[in-house]
Tab-separated table of all heavy atoms in Angstrom:
chain	number	residue	atom	x	y	z
A	9	ALA	N	-24.798	-84.882	46.016
A	9	ALA	CA	-24.336	-86.130	45.405
A	9	ALA	C	-24.546	-87.288	46.374
A	9	ALA	O	-24.965	-88.388	45.993
A	9	ALA	CB	-22.867	-86.010	45.015
A	10	ALA	N	-24.267	-87.029	47.666
A	10	ALA	CA	-24.481	-88.065	48.683
A	10	ALA	C	-25.966	-88.357	48.868
A	10	ALA	O	-26.372	-89.502	49.066
A	10	ALA	CB	-23.859	-87.618	50.005
A	11	VAL	N	-26.797	-87.299	48.796
A	11	VAL	CA	-28.245	-87.494	48.927
A	11	VAL	C	-28.767	-88.378	47.804
A	11	VAL	O	-29.531	-89.327	48.018
A	11	VAL	CB	-28.968	-86.127	48.927
A	11	VAL	CG1	-30.474	-86.315	48.778
A	11	VAL	CG2	-28.645	-85.365	50.211
A	12	ARG	N	-28.355	-88.076	46.570
A	12	ARG	CA	-28.822	-88.870	45.429
A	12	ARG	C	-28.319	-90.301	45.508
A	12	ARG	O	-28.993	-91.251	45.106
A	12	ARG	CB	-28.386	-88.202	44.118
A	12	ARG	CG	-29.153	-86.927	43.804
A	12	ARG	CD	-28.874	-86.454	42.388
A	12	ARG	NE	-27.498	-85.995	42.241
A	12	ARG	CZ	-27.109	-84.758	42.485
A	12	ARG	NH1	-27.991	-83.855	42.905
A	12	ARG	NH2	-25.852	-84.400	42.321
A	13	ALA	N	-27.106	-90.486	46.056
A	13	ALA	CA	-26.544	-91.838	46.178
A	13	ALA	C	-27.372	-92.697	47.119
A	13	ALA	O	-27.345	-93.929	47.030
A	13	ALA	CB	-25.099	-91.766	46.669
A	14	ARG	N	-28.110	-92.079	48.020
A	14	ARG	CA	-28.966	-92.834	48.943
A	14	ARG	C	-30.357	-93.079	48.371
A	14	ARG	O	-31.244	-93.575	49.051
A	14	ARG	CB	-29.087	-92.102	50.283
A	14	ARG	CG	-27.842	-92.188	51.135
A	14	ARG	CD	-28.089	-91.592	52.514
A	14	ARG	NE	-29.199	-92.230	53.203
A	14	ARG	CZ	-29.104	-93.372	53.890
A	14	ARG	NH1	-27.936	-93.976	53.961
A	14	ARG	NH2	-30.156	-93.885	54.483
A	15	GLY	N	-30.560	-92.720	47.106
A	15	GLY	CA	-31.836	-93.019	46.474
A	15	GLY	C	-32.908	-91.981	46.682
A	15	GLY	O	-34.091	-92.267	46.483
A	16	CYS	N	-32.559	-90.781	47.098
A	16	CYS	CA	-33.545	-89.725	47.262
A	16	CYS	C	-33.856	-89.143	45.884
A	16	CYS	O	-32.980	-88.548	45.262
A	16	CYS	CB	-33.014	-88.639	48.188
A	16	CYS	SG	-32.544	-89.271	49.813
A	17	GLN	N	-35.075	-89.325	45.411
A	17	GLN	CA	-35.425	-88.990	44.034
A	17	GLN	C	-36.240	-87.705	43.893
A	17	GLN	O	-36.949	-87.526	42.932
A	17	GLN	CB	-36.211	-90.160	43.420
A	17	GLN	CG	-35.439	-91.462	43.357
A	17	GLN	CD	-34.156	-91.338	42.558
A	17	GLN	OE1	-34.121	-90.666	41.529
A	17	GLN	NE2	-33.088	-91.985	43.023
A	18	PHE	N	-36.194	-86.831	44.893
A	18	PHE	CA	-36.924	-85.564	44.739
A	18	PHE	C	-35.976	-84.552	44.102
A	18	PHE	O	-35.424	-83.677	44.720
A	18	PHE	CB	-37.490	-85.068	46.076
A	18	PHE	CG	-36.456	-84.765	47.119
A	18	PHE	CD1	-36.106	-83.456	47.409
A	18	PHE	CD2	-35.856	-85.776	47.812
A	18	PHE	CE1	-35.150	-83.174	48.377
A	18	PHE	CE2	-34.891	-85.499	48.787
A	18	PHE	CZ	-34.552	-84.193	49.058
A	19	LEU	N	-35.755	-84.699	42.808
A	19	LEU	CA	-34.808	-83.850	42.102
A	19	LEU	C	-35.403	-82.455	41.895
A	19	LEU	O	-36.609	-82.253	41.955
A	19	LEU	CB	-34.446	-84.483	40.763
A	19	LEU	CG	-33.814	-85.882	40.853
A	19	LEU	CD1	-33.504	-86.404	39.459
A	19	LEU	CD2	-32.558	-85.855	41.698
A	20	GLY	N	-34.532	-81.514	41.606
A	20	GLY	CA	-34.952	-80.135	41.417
A	20	GLY	C	-34.202	-79.232	42.361
A	20	GLY	O	-34.395	-79.310	43.567
A	21	PRO	N	-33.309	-78.395	41.838
A	21	PRO	CA	-32.460	-77.548	42.705
A	21	PRO	C	-33.253	-76.685	43.672
A	21	PRO	O	-32.854	-76.510	44.816
A	21	PRO	CB	-31.693	-76.692	41.686
A	21	PRO	CG	-31.723	-77.484	40.414
A	21	PRO	CD	-33.032	-78.207	40.415
A	22	ALA	N	-34.372	-76.135	43.229
A	22	ALA	CA	-35.132	-75.237	44.104
A	22	ALA	C	-35.612	-75.965	45.352
A	22	ALA	O	-35.480	-75.469	46.475
A	22	ALA	CB	-36.314	-74.654	43.345
A	23	MET	N	-36.141	-77.170	45.168
A	23	MET	CA	-36.651	-77.923	46.313
A	23	MET	C	-35.509	-78.392	47.196
A	23	MET	O	-35.613	-78.376	48.428
A	23	MET	CB	-37.468	-79.116	45.820
A	23	MET	CG	-38.051	-79.961	46.951
A	23	MET	SD	-39.065	-81.286	46.318
A	23	MET	CE	-39.375	-82.204	47.828
A	24	GLN	N	-34.410	-78.800	46.585
A	24	GLN	CA	-33.263	-79.270	47.361
A	24	GLN	C	-32.730	-78.168	48.267
A	24	GLN	O	-32.468	-78.384	49.451
A	24	GLN	CB	-32.166	-79.767	46.409
A	24	GLN	CG	-32.563	-81.016	45.639
A	24	GLN	CD	-31.542	-81.394	44.579
A	24	GLN	OE1	-30.559	-80.677	44.372
A	24	GLN	NE2	-31.771	-82.499	43.909
A	25	GLU	N	-32.572	-76.974	47.716
A	25	GLU	CA	-32.063	-75.868	48.514
A	25	GLU	C	-33.044	-75.499	49.619
A	25	GLU	O	-32.657	-75.135	50.728
A	25	GLU	CB	-31.793	-74.657	47.610
A	25	GLU	CG	-30.657	-74.853	46.620
A	25	GLU	CD	-29.328	-75.119	47.300
A	25	GLU	OE1	-29.099	-74.585	48.403
A	25	GLU	OE2	-28.518	-75.879	46.740
A	26	GLU	N	-34.338	-75.596	49.321
A	26	GLU	CA	-35.337	-75.250	50.317
A	26	GLU	C	-35.329	-76.247	51.478
A	26	GLU	O	-35.521	-75.874	52.640
A	26	GLU	CB	-36.725	-75.204	49.671
A	26	GLU	CG	-37.835	-74.707	50.578
A	26	GLU	CD	-37.677	-73.244	50.968
A	26	GLU	OE1	-36.787	-72.558	50.419
A	26	GLU	OE2	-38.440	-72.781	51.839
A	27	VAL	N	-35.098	-77.539	51.180
A	27	VAL	CA	-35.021	-78.551	52.234
A	27	VAL	C	-33.887	-78.225	53.195
A	27	VAL	O	-34.060	-78.224	54.421
A	27	VAL	CB	-34.826	-79.962	51.631
A	27	VAL	CG1	-34.481	-80.966	52.733
A	27	VAL	CG2	-36.087	-80.413	50.911
A	28	LEU	N	-32.708	-77.937	52.663
A	28	LEU	CA	-31.563	-77.608	53.516
A	28	LEU	C	-31.827	-76.341	54.318
A	28	LEU	O	-31.497	-76.252	55.492
A	28	LEU	CB	-30.312	-77.435	52.656
A	28	LEU	CG	-29.478	-78.688	52.401
A	28	LEU	CD1	-28.193	-78.309	51.686
A	28	LEU	CD2	-29.169	-79.424	53.678
A	29	ARG	N	-32.441	-75.353	53.668
A	29	ARG	CA	-32.711	-74.097	54.367
A	29	ARG	C	-33.649	-74.325	55.553
A	29	ARG	O	-33.445	-73.781	56.638
A	29	ARG	CB	-33.336	-73.080	53.396
A	29	ARG	CG	-33.499	-71.678	53.994
A	29	ARG	CD	-34.265	-70.771	53.066
A	29	ARG	NE	-35.672	-71.134	53.024
A	29	ARG	CZ	-36.555	-70.790	53.960
A	29	ARG	NH1	-36.172	-70.075	55.011
A	29	ARG	NH2	-37.822	-71.139	53.858
A	30	LEU	N	-34.672	-75.150	55.360
A	30	LEU	CA	-35.627	-75.409	56.420
A	30	LEU	C	-35.014	-76.219	57.558
A	30	LEU	O	-35.319	-76.008	58.725
A	30	LEU	CB	-36.852	-76.143	55.849
A	30	LEU	CG	-37.761	-75.301	54.949
A	30	LEU	CD1	-38.812	-76.172	54.277
A	30	LEU	CD2	-38.431	-74.186	55.741
A	31	VAL	N	-34.135	-77.175	57.217
A	31	VAL	CA	-33.448	-77.946	58.251
A	31	VAL	C	-32.598	-77.030	59.119
A	31	VAL	O	-32.620	-77.092	60.351
A	31	VAL	CB	-32.587	-79.059	57.621
A	31	VAL	CG1	-31.683	-79.679	58.674
A	31	VAL	CG2	-33.470	-80.136	56.994
A	32	LEU	N	-31.849	-76.146	58.469
A	32	LEU	CA	-31.004	-75.216	59.221
A	32	LEU	C	-31.854	-74.244	60.038
A	32	LEU	O	-31.495	-73.885	61.163
A	32	LEU	CB	-30.095	-74.447	58.257
A	32	LEU	CG	-29.044	-75.287	57.528
A	32	LEU	CD1	-28.295	-74.429	56.517
A	32	LEU	CD2	-28.081	-75.911	58.516
A	33	LEU	N	-32.982	-73.816	59.473
A	33	LEU	CA	-33.876	-72.908	60.193
A	33	LEU	C	-34.397	-73.554	61.474
A	33	LEU	O	-34.461	-72.919	62.534
A	33	LEU	CB	-35.050	-72.515	59.296
A	33	LEU	CG	-36.131	-71.628	59.935
A	33	LEU	CD1	-35.547	-70.264	60.288
A	33	LEU	CD2	-37.311	-71.480	58.996
A	34	ALA	N	-34.740	-74.839	61.385
A	34	ALA	CA	-35.286	-75.535	62.551
A	34	ALA	C	-34.243	-75.740	63.636
A	34	ALA	O	-34.568	-75.831	64.817
A	34	ALA	CB	-35.872	-76.881	62.122
A	35	LEU	N	-32.966	-75.800	63.236
A	35	LEU	CA	-31.919	-76.153	64.195
A	35	LEU	C	-31.031	-74.988	64.593
A	35	LEU	O	-30.126	-75.158	65.415
A	35	LEU	CB	-31.032	-77.268	63.614
A	35	LEU	CG	-31.750	-78.582	63.278
A	35	LEU	CD1	-30.793	-79.529	62.583
A	35	LEU	CD2	-32.305	-79.230	64.526
A	36	GLU	N	-31.265	-73.791	64.037
A	36	GLU	CA	-30.311	-72.701	64.250
A	36	GLU	C	-30.229	-72.240	65.703
A	36	GLU	O	-29.218	-71.692	66.124
A	36	GLU	CB	-30.662	-71.521	63.345
A	36	GLU	CG	-31.986	-70.852	63.679
A	36	GLU	CD	-32.262	-69.674	62.752
A	36	GLU	OE1	-31.385	-69.350	61.935
A	36	GLU	OE2	-33.358	-69.081	62.847
A	37	GLU	N	-31.276	-72.456	66.476
A	37	GLU	CA	-31.246	-72.042	67.882
A	37	GLU	C	-30.725	-73.140	68.797
A	37	GLU	O	-30.700	-72.986	70.016
A	37	GLU	CB	-32.646	-71.624	68.331
A	37	GLU	CG	-33.180	-70.386	67.615
A	37	GLU	CD	-32.326	-69.160	67.866
A	37	GLU	OE1	-31.731	-69.075	68.960
A	37	GLU	OE2	-32.229	-68.303	66.983
A	38	GLY	N	-30.326	-74.280	68.230
A	38	GLY	CA	-29.750	-75.349	69.034
A	38	GLY	C	-30.763	-76.201	69.765
A	38	GLY	O	-30.424	-76.896	70.712
A	39	TYR	N	-32.046	-76.163	69.333
A	39	TYR	CA	-33.059	-76.963	70.012
A	39	TYR	C	-32.851	-78.448	69.724
A	39	TYR	O	-32.430	-78.840	68.638
A	39	TYR	CB	-34.467	-76.555	69.565
A	39	TYR	CG	-34.825	-75.136	69.905
A	39	TYR	CD1	-35.212	-74.241	68.917
A	39	TYR	CD2	-34.757	-74.677	71.217
A	39	TYR	CE1	-35.532	-72.933	69.234
A	39	TYR	CE2	-35.081	-73.377	71.539
A	39	TYR	CZ	-35.468	-72.503	70.545
A	39	TYR	OH	-35.775	-71.218	70.863
A	40	ALA	N	-33.181	-79.292	70.695
A	40	ALA	CA	-33.079	-80.744	70.531
A	40	ALA	C	-34.403	-81.244	69.957
A	40	ALA	O	-35.424	-81.294	70.650
A	40	ALA	CB	-32.789	-81.411	71.870
A	41	LEU	N	-34.426	-81.572	68.680
A	41	LEU	CA	-35.624	-82.056	68.013
A	41	LEU	C	-35.470	-83.523	67.664
A	41	LEU	O	-34.384	-83.982	67.328
A	41	LEU	CB	-35.886	-81.263	66.725
A	41	LEU	CG	-36.066	-79.749	66.858
A	41	LEU	CD1	-36.255	-79.132	65.487
A	41	LEU	CD2	-37.258	-79.424	67.742
A	42	SER	N	-36.570	-84.245	67.710
A	42	SER	CA	-36.538	-85.629	67.249
A	42	SER	C	-36.534	-85.623	65.723
A	42	SER	O	-36.949	-84.650	65.077
A	42	SER	CB	-37.749	-86.404	67.764
A	42	SER	OG	-38.924	-85.953	67.134
A	43	ARG	N	-36.071	-86.707	65.120
A	43	ARG	CA	-36.063	-86.777	63.660
A	43	ARG	C	-37.481	-86.672	63.100
A	43	ARG	O	-37.701	-86.037	62.069
A	43	ARG	CB	-35.409	-88.085	63.215
A	43	ARG	CG	-33.890	-88.062	63.334
A	43	ARG	CD	-33.298	-89.334	62.798
A	43	ARG	NE	-32.565	-90.033	63.839
A	43	ARG	CZ	-31.966	-91.188	63.669
A	43	ARG	NH1	-32.037	-91.802	62.526
A	43	ARG	NH2	-31.301	-91.754	64.653
A	44	LYS	N	-38.422	-87.299	63.786
A	44	LYS	CA	-39.807	-87.281	63.311
A	44	LYS	C	-40.343	-85.858	63.262
A	44	LYS	O	-40.969	-85.442	62.276
A	44	LYS	CB	-40.673	-88.143	64.231
A	44	LYS	CG	-42.136	-88.184	63.830
A	44	LYS	CD	-42.932	-89.077	64.780
A	44	LYS	CE	-44.411	-89.109	64.400
A	44	LYS	NZ	-45.195	-89.971	65.326
A	45	VAL	N	-40.093	-85.090	64.333
A	45	VAL	CA	-40.562	-83.707	64.382
A	45	VAL	C	-39.889	-82.861	63.310
A	45	VAL	O	-40.523	-82.046	62.628
A	45	VAL	CB	-40.310	-83.104	65.784
A	45	VAL	CG1	-40.573	-81.595	65.793
A	45	VAL	CG2	-41.184	-83.803	66.823
């Protein structure tokens, strides 16, 4: 709901869940990544 409130228009539950999964995958080891990366 917060994502949509910011104007993110990539609707579709499958893609939304995949985005979160990939973000968590990239950060699960505690690495310091830049936003761009």
Side-chain angles (χ1 to χ4, degrees):
V11 169
R12 288 191 292 272
R14 286 187 57 83
C16 303
Q17 299 302 321
F18 62 103
L19 301 180
M23 180 177 172
Q24 293 173 356
E25 293 299 327
E26 186 66 8
V27 169
L28 270 187
R29 187 187 72 80
L30 289 171
V31 169
L32 294 175
L33 176 65
L35 300 174
E36 66 179 355
E37 295 298 329
Y39 297 123
L41 301 178
S42 70
R43 284 184 241 178
K44 180 179 179 180
V45 170

